[in-house]
Amino acid sequence: MPVFIMFGAFFGAAGAHLDAHAALVDRIAGGVAIVMGLAFMGWLPGFQREWRFNRLPALGIAGAPLLGLAFGVGWTPCTGPTLGVVLSLAGDPNTATAGRGALLTAVYCCGLGLPFVLAGLAFRKALGAFAVVKRHYAIVVRGGGLLLVAVGVLLVTGEWNTLSIDVRNWFPSYTAPV
């Protein structure tokens, strides 16, 4: 989690200095989001590689943080398409600050980790939910990929900013917490 938050802070700080190039940054981020969405859905050959280690550490409970670090670094959904889009939004020159980037990635990390914590606490009951997701795995993955592609298209076409302005006009008294 701290590594992702540092990435978010970095992208936020860097994005704050790119205001003059906002349209180009949005187009690049949108293109990356589209590619990542297509890769997430398995539509780009070679992007679904997987490497596994078959050796288990003998450290017991002391090895848990090391295993967690290896899991976080090596598990594609943790560091892949969704995090890429979060970092792109953190680096958006129109709204970027280091604090906003750190907050966006912290919320992303909580959203990523909370289901694991809850599943661990209610493992027996969670097996039923896992079965539902497993039965509908293709729909879940394609839906997530399509959402990434949609955000990418909105960024590339400039409609993301238009949509943001429209939403602000619909709720004029609302102030975003981030």
Side-chain angles (χ1 to χ4, degrees):
M1 184 167 154
V3 173
F4 292 152
I5 293 172
M6 287 188 297
F7 274 142
F10 170 77
F11 275 81
H17 299 290
L18 295 174
D19 192 32
H21 308 287
L24 178 62
V25 170
D26 281 350
R27 284 189 176 87
I28 292 170
V32 169
I34 291 169
V35 169
M36 289 181 169
L38 294 173
F40 195 69
M41 291 185 286
W43 292 357
L44 294 178
F47 279 75
Q48 299 293 325
R49 289 188 209 155
E50 183 176 307
W51 291 285
R52 293 182 184 224
F53 295 102
N54 293 324
R55 185 175 175 269
L56 296 174
L59 297 174
I61 193 88
L66 182 61
L67 182 61
L69 178 67
F71 180 78
V73 168
W75 194 45
T76 305
C78 286
T79 58
T82 309
L83 180 59
V85 172
V86 170
L87 293 175
S88 296
L89 294 175
D92 181 357
N94 297 317
T95 57
T97 65
R100 181 176 189 272
L103 182 61
L104 285 172
T105 50
V107 171
Y108 164 79
C109 289
C110 289
L112 179 69
L114 190 60
F116 287 106
V117 171
L118 294 175
L121 293 173
F123 185 72
R124 292 271 180 217
K125 292 182 181 182
L127 288 176
F130 293 148
V132 170
V133 171
K134 189 175 182 180
R135 278 195 310 271
H136 298 95
Y137 180 75
I139 294 169
V140 171
V141 169
R142 293 244 161 76
L146 284 173
L147 287 173
L148 289 172
V149 170
V151 169
V153 169
L154 289 172
L155 285 166
V156 167
T157 61
E159 290 301 311
W160 181 263
N161 289 330
T162 304
L163 182 61
S164 297
I165 292 167
D166 288 346
V167 169
R168 279 186 232 131
N169 289 335
W170 295 337
F171 304 100
S173 63
Y174 176 75
T175 304
V178 188

